[in-house]
Amino acid sequence: KFDLGAGKFFKINNDLCVSEALKRMEMLFSVSKYQRHLQSAGQDCNTTSQGVRKVEEIIEETIKMSKLVTESKMAKELSNKTGLPYMQFLTSWSGLFQSSWSQCNISEARSIIGYVRSSASDLKALWGRKLRPIEEILLDIGEADSECGVLQGGMLPLSRRLYYNALQKLGAAPGSTISIVLKAHCESFQLRMKSSQVAEVSDALCILQDYEETMKLSKLELCTLLCHEVDDRFYCWTSESIKYAIGYHVSLQRHFLADILLKAAKVQDAQSILEEAVKASPMNYDAAFSYGAFLLQIAAYDKRCSDPDLMKKAQSQLLQSARLDVSKADPFALLGMWFEIQRDLKRSVGCYSKALLIDPSNPVAGRGILRVKKNTDLGSVFSRAMDNGIYQSGWAWKASGDHSAFVVGDYERANKCYQQALRSHDICNPKQFRLNTFFSIPGESFSTFKEYSNTWSALGASYRHMGKYSAALRAFQAAYEKQSSDISYFCSWAQVEMELGLLNKASEKFQRVVDSGRKDAQIDACYGLASCMLASARQAEEEGKFGNALSYLKRGIATINMLIESQLDRMFYCIWKILGDLYSFGFLIPISAFAGTGSDGYGQKMQFIAQGQAAYSHIVRDISKLDSSISSSDVISTVLSTTLNDIGINCLLRARICDDLIFEGMEKGNSTCWSEVTKEKEVQELLNSALSYFTDALKYKPLSSCCWAGLGYSLIARNPVLAQHAFCTALQFDKSNVDAWANLCLLYLHNDLIETSEECVDSLTQVSDSALIWLVRGLRVEKELGLEATNEMHALSKAFDAYQASLQISRQQGALLGLSLMARKLAKVAVQDKRCPNFELFLRESFANLDIYLNLNGSKNIGAVALCGVTGIEKAFNLQLEGRISSHLAHILMQHGANRTQHTPAIKEYYTRNEEIRNVTDEVNAYIDASETNKNCNISLENCDAETVSIHVARQHLLRNPSDSLLWLQLSKALLQALNPTSTTESYEAVLAALKRSKETMLIQVSGSSSCDSVHGINHSTPSPSSSQLSEVFALSYSIFDIHIETTNKSSYDLQKSVVLDPENYIARSMIP
């Protein structure tokens, strides 16, 4: 304690305030503390816990001081007066006695160097005091050490330039002891930089040729200094400290030179260098330890070495080094590695424990104790290591994070541990450590960045469990950038991408793991890839890409089948589950996607979905083989109940397909009531099976809401009261069951209970905002409209809006059909109400949604198909009235629509029972017959560029210019106008020939091929056809095929091309099936 009032240590004058005096005294004491630390550099410079804490405190003070100096002018002046910044730099660097910047990262080192350079500049400006040449050299070398790769993120070009400048200055200075040491330091680290970039033996040989002679001369100078008394002093370093620095650099040079010789495949030369050092100084710890570490490295890690006695020599040298200095942890750590390689785990644990007692954060011993005692609680070992900071205790932070994540489940703490591990030098930059080769046991795949990459991937997995997917993606990406060949974490990475909807990227990663053939990850990768394919199929189905959806399903199924064929020892239940889900999802794919050449789409789809039941049944059979004590557990009961529920749903889906076949008109029957459909044998068998499976599922889990909902659906047709009870029971157990609410509402609607169904709809709305809610709302409004005399326009608009809202969420087939029908009814009301101008808008909406519905449905709904035919007839009639198409083309389109209303026996039956459709079609047919007998009708063609001409005139034009594609189109139109129902086959063939020539000529003209022009005799002066004209040719070609099917096989390619070329082509759009 100091009596400032008495002025014992500082004379306080009027111009020196008390605070300045305190600050000055504090800085002087700091300088004194750093001097004492530097004076003891030869004694406690090793990485014991006490020495590490000292340096960490100094670095922390230096960083704080650098910030204070920028904020306070007084602090800047005082720090310059006392020389504090430079002392802080020397202490933080410590490069003359141990590994440079051992307790810093690159940003901290740069901050300290910038602080010192700024202080030197201010010192020169304020006091005229410049840095001495040796001080400038030390500062340059310290900065070069920070950028040379010792710290991750260094700039190697800057480091090379600084080392070169320092060597130039040292060469011009007299050969003092400190100059020789600094010169050796620069040359050693230059060799280290070159060695770290070696990839081939040839590269190592080139470096060796450049540096070997220089290193030998430098070593000779250092050894000469060691043999004599050193009287030089520098700053506060004593002669003993400088002598220690000389010994350290001799050891460092031998180590780097031996390392480059080893990489150059000159093992004998490297060994001889270290042997000479041991012979020259038999009692020197560094020489004995370097030789022992080298022998262990080549004996255990170098496959080219075949000398069996090297392991014994290595043990002998390591024991000798341990006797020479019992305060060093490294010999005991390598002895632990030696015993571990010899399978003597008891002695190995003893050596590792001894090393950790001396240095709790020793990276070699720490990793070793984790390997040999991996199933033991090592919390106390982790704590002691982590208390030493993060310089070389990354292994402890990583292991503590793994324990928190995988054992305790504390992912918040795991994240903190992983982040600390990533800051640790032994993980982020293991090359900084001389013994980094021994971080892994021989035989383990080890690379410089493997542990760093693994830590990033572990952090990503921890973020994933916490639901922080964006952070997890960044962590996995960082792991991949450090080591792209490691795919151990790809499954976790892909699962994160699946959660974020990045299905293509996720499938690529799963596929890479599958292709790698890694048995430990095959099940996870195959299951993940199949799940990804199922999600992709769901996405494609929602977008209407049914072919793609089926392809995704088949790819997922093929992946699981490949896994099953590999005959693993055990197949998990989830594998059979995902396989069944893939097959069952085929229900949402239209029958047309399953139909192949000459194959029955219905049979293919039923067979596809039925394989899902077979997959689920594997789980039931496997569980039945288990011991009764295991099979009665809650987990197995849950699995069994869920599986039986899935089989029941699979049976219901197939029953629904049979229902669609019968009800929708696949020529199986004419029933229109669900209760009648269920009397069909195939449907009845499937419903009975579903009922049985749901009942069995409830035996294992009586409180399962999903099973009760499935039971209710299977009972709707035969016993609506029991079905209602099942749905209500399902909702008692889970009020958020959307399927149960929707089916209960539809059951009430079927029995005309409007108010009760409205309560169900309101409850359903509170549960989830799904497409099903709005679909049920639309049906309820329709039912209410049919039972009550209400405002028709208002009710239809409500139903129309409900179906539109459903389609905004997802593409529901029922919503498409409902929207089409509501739009058609609204068009009818608009015609009756002259104030409503939306007649055409509603008709377009109706036709568009009906067309989409039939594409999704596979055109199997007989009522929708018949309605589509009637709509086509109406559209053709309106186009003719507006003068957009000729009467003959109107006749073609009307006939096309009339054919759609009667193209199957089931539709014909429906046609005879539906009086409205029959009357409309009969009237249209009568109109068509009347128009055919009218020989004087005016003919006008759509998009006709020239005036209508006779066949004779068109032929005369062609004789003058036979290469004009537009004239061929004109002739085609003239021939088409001349056609009538009594026309011969030759007349149709003439039209087809003219259209074909017109199409070929147009295609040649638009392609611009000169070689084809010369062959066909095309005149380049002829104007190129427009897209609308080319579209018209394709549309007319398709219409001729449609009229005269006997001429050739009808193909939709021409029609598709026509619509693509001109979306406004009325002919093409009217004939879209």
Side-chain angles (χ1 to χ4, degrees), residues 66 69-70 72-73 75-81 85 114-131:
S66 66
V69 163
T70 58
S72 171
K73 183 178 180 181
K76 179 187 289 187
E77 291 180 358
L78 288 175
S79 66
N80 291 334
K81 286 180 182 179
Y115 163 51
V116 176
R117 291 196 181 280
S118 175
S119 174
S121 176
D122 293 339
L123 190 63
K124 180 180 178 182
L126 293 173
W127 307 100
R129 164 74 159 84
K130 297 194 299 182
L131 291 178

Side-chain angles (χ1 to χ4, degrees), residues 252-396:
L252 200 65
Q253 281 191 341
R254 285 171 178 157
H255 173 72
F256 288 152
L257 189 57
D259 183 58
I260 196 67
L261 285 168
L262 195 60
K263 290 181 179 180
K266 293 188 175 185
V267 179
Q268 297 299 327
D269 292 344
Q271 187 173 350
S272 63
I273 288 176
L274 296 174
E275 280 180 353
E276 288 176 7
V278 172
K279 290 177 182 178
S281 306
M283 302 304 293
N284 184 281
Y285 161 79
D286 289 318
F289 176 72
S290 296
Y291 187 39
F294 171 80
L295 291 176
L296 182 61
Q297 179 177 351
I298 62 173
Y301 292 87
D302 192 350
K303 296 180 181 179
R304 297 168 294 184
C305 179
S306 58
D307 188 354
D309 296 331
L310 282 180
M311 285 296 287
K312 293 182 180 179
K313 290 182 181 179
Q315 183 191 22
S316 175
Q317 282 300 129
L318 291 172
L319 286 171
Q320 176 66 13
S321 63
R323 294 189 196 101
L324 289 172
D325 193 344
V326 294
S327 66
K328 304 293 185 181
D330 289 339
F332 293 101
L334 294 192
L335 282 170
M337 174 74 74
W338 191 92
F339 284 115
E340 185 180 356
I341 295 170
Q342 301 298 323
R343 307 290 184 184
D344 189 348
L345 299 184
K346 185 175 181 180
R347 291 184 179 179
S348 176
V349 170
C351 291
Y352 285 141
S353 300
K354 176 66 175 176
L356 290 173
L357 283 175
I358 299 171
D359 180 10
S361 62
N362 187 279
V364 177
R367 286 166 173 80
I369 202 78
L370 288 175
R371 287 193 301 269
V372 297
K373 299 183 69 175
K374 56 184 176 182
N375 296 322
T376 310
D377 184 12
L378 298 172
S380 59
V381 176
F382 300 156
S383 299
R384 288 196 302 270
M386 291 186 292
D387 288 342
N388 276 356
I390 63 172
Y391 167 59
Q392 60 181 14
S393 57
W395 59 271

Side-chain angles (χ1 to χ4, degrees), residues 923-944:
E923 290 178 8
V924 171
N925 287 333
Y927 173 80
I928 293 172
D929 294 338
S931 65
E932 288 176 357
T933 58
N934 185 7
K935 303 297 181 180
N936 298 320
C937 63
N938 294 324
I939 299 173
S940 62
L941 290 171
E942 176 195 13
N943 296 333
C944 187

